[in-house]
């Protein structure tokens, strides 16, 4: 079945540092890929998505590129802020009935001033 | 504001008690989902409803039942709560548009079973 693996956290960075959170996936066919963000005490919000190979999703300074050859969708940001502290989830949606999302385990990011 | 509304936000149950978690969306979405979130395990799908009148099991359905009351509402019921069901529960909805269409999540229900 489909699965998503992302790097374990927590990831602790200083403000303005470069961020990479690795995500790899296993799926049949051509899934759509997503990054969701969860701020403390809140639900998940869609951060960005990509629906086909070589697509780049971007939002709020975050980027991720759909790499089919390496089955990866790594999240990057050039300069993190304290307000980026949250839990980040990589997810995929395949061709299964109901278009269900399969999530990775989440990566907690802590940004220090 | 348009979105997904879950009630209650917090609940403490004793082992063996029953309760229903409510979820409603006002975006005219066809599909609705219930997930549970446990530390280090991401979100796992409990049940989903691809359209009004249909429901299907997800990855972890044991101990739960669901009802798609109408297009707006999708409830999750615990008939006899167990400590293993202590978790944060999220409802989500999704419109048409295939696999590339993102979900909208509610703010969650934090359930503790003692």
């Amino acid at each position: 079945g489909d699965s998503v693996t992302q790097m374990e956290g927590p990831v602790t960075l200083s403000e303005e540092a470069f961020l990479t959170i690795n995500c790899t996936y296993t799926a049949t066919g051509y899934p759509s890929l997503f990054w969701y963000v969860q701020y403390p005490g809140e639900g998940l919000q869609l951060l960005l998505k990509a629906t086909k190979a070589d697509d780049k999703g971007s939002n709020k300074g975050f980027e991720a590129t759909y790499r089919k050859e390496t089955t990866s969708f790594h999240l990057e940001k050039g300069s993190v802020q304290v307000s980026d502290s949250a839990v980040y989830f990589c997810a995929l949606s395949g061709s299964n009935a109901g278009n269900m999302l399969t999530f990775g385990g989440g990566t907690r990011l802590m940004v220090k001033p | 504001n348009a979105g997904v509304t879950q009630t209650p936000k917090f609940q403490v149950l004793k082992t063996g008690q029953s309760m229903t978690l409510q979820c409603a969306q006002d975006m005219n979405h066809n599909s609705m989902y219930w997930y549970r979130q446990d530390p280090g395990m991401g979100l796992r799908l409990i049940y989903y409803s691809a359209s009004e009148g249909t429901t299907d099991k997800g990855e972890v359905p044991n101990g739960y039942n669901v009802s798609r009351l109408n297009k707006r509402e999708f409830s999750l019921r615990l008939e006899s709560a167990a400590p293993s069901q202590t978790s944060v529960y999220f409802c989500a909805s999704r419109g048409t548009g295939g696999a590339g269409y993102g979900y909208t999540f509610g703010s969650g229900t934090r359930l503790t079973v003692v």
Side-chain angles (χ1 to χ4, degrees):
Chain A
D2 297 345
S3 67
V4 176
T5 302
Q6 56 183 113
M7 58 190 296
E8 292 189 17
V11 174
T12 304
L13 297 173
S14 297
E15 205 164 24
E16 299 184 1
F18 185 86
L19 168 70
T20 300
I21 299 178
N22 291 335
C23 171
T24 58
Y25 68 90
T26 302
T28 56
Y30 301 92
S32 294
L33 303 175
F34 304 84
W35 277 99
Y36 282 83
V37 58
Q38 183 180 34
Y39 298 103
E42 299 183 10
L44 278 73
Q45 302 174 27
L46 180 63
L47 181 60
L48 54 85
K49 68 176 183 180
T51 58
K52 62 183 186 295
D54 299 324
D55 267 2
K56 177 185 285 187
S58 62
N59 186 26
K60 299 181 181 180
F62 291 90
E63 293 183 340
T65 300
Y66 190 144
R67 301 289 188 198
K68 186 165 177 62
E69 64 275 16
T70 55
T71 62
S72 65
F73 193 55
H74 305 320
L75 182 68
E76 297 182 336
K77 186 175 185 181
S79 176
V80 294
Q81 306 300 312
V82 172
S83 57
D84 294 327
S85 298
V87 180
Y88 293 82
F89 292 93
C90 185
L92 70 82
S93 178
S95 57
N96 52 65
N99 290 320
M100 294 172 286
L101 277 176
T102 300
F103 286 90
T107 303
R108 181 176 299 278
L109 171 65
M110 300 172 61
V111 181
K112 297 185 175 181
Chain B
N1 291 335
V4 178
T5 302
Q6 290 184 236
T7 56
K9 293 188 181 301
F10 301 94
Q11 183 71 49
V12 178
L13 291 178
K14 294 182 178 179
T15 297
Q17 287 185 316
S18 63
M19 79 161 295
T20 300
L21 281 65
Q22 306 288 351
C23 175
Q25 52 93 8
D26 58 6
M27 297 169 287
N28 203 35
H29 285 172
N30 287 325
S31 302
M32 298 185 73
Y33 307 81
W34 276 105
Y35 284 87
R36 60 177 289 172
Q37 182 182 27
D38 301 296
M41 302 186 72
L43 277 74
R44 293 181 292 168
L45 183 66
I46 304 171
Y47 270 93
Y48 70 99
S49 170
S51 61
E52 185 178 356
T54 67
T55 60
D56 286 286
K57 296 179 180 180
E59 181 183 357
V60 288
N62 292 344
Y64 305 94
N65 285 300
V66 291
S67 295
R68 183 73 183 267
L69 303 172
N70 47 55
K71 191 169 186 178
R72 291 185 64 249
E73 299 173 286
F74 188 40
S75 62
L76 178 72
R77 182 161 179 83
L78 287 70
E79 291 290 352
S80 179
S84 61
Q85 295 177 304
T86 294
S87 187
V88 182
Y89 292 84
F90 288 100
C91 178
S93 70
R94 185 176 197 170
T96 57
Y101 205 92
Y103 286 26
T104 300
F105 283 84
S107 58
T109 296
R110 186 174 295 275
L111 175 67
T112 302
V113 182
V114 298

